[in-house]
Amino acid sequence: MSFQAYLDNVEAKTGKSADDLKTLAIAKGLADPNGLAPGIKPGAVIDWLKADFDLGHGHAMSIVAYLKGKRS
């Protein structure tokens, strides 16, 4: 599955785009405009996405990668 397919599936499941989730992560203090917030580990973002949006690990990791700017 391509990275974009992961992001598309996340949006289909949550109703939120990767940009929407980035905005929410920034509001929660998990991220900043440049990536993960200082001191935040990927597991904290994954736990949030699993708890609040019922995402699986792979889909949550795609959002972590998006937040870190590894893929666009």
Side-chain angles (χ1 to χ4, degrees), residues 9-68:
N9 285 335
V10 166
E11 186 169 1
K13 181 165 185 136
T14 66
K16 306 223 177 285
S17 69
D19 282 335
D20 294 337
L21 291 171
K22 182 175 184 175
T23 299
L24 291 172
I26 291 169
K28 290 182 88 45
L30 296 169
D32 62 30
N34 299 314
L36 295 182
I40 299 296
K41 296 193 183 265
V45 177
I46 292 165
D47 290 346
W48 163 61
L49 292 168
K50 286 181 175 183
D52 287 10
F53 297 100
D54 198 32
L55 290 182
H57 189 80
H59 288 98
M61 281 299 298
S62 70
I63 297 301
V64 169
Y66 184 82
L67 293 174
K68 289 179 155 186

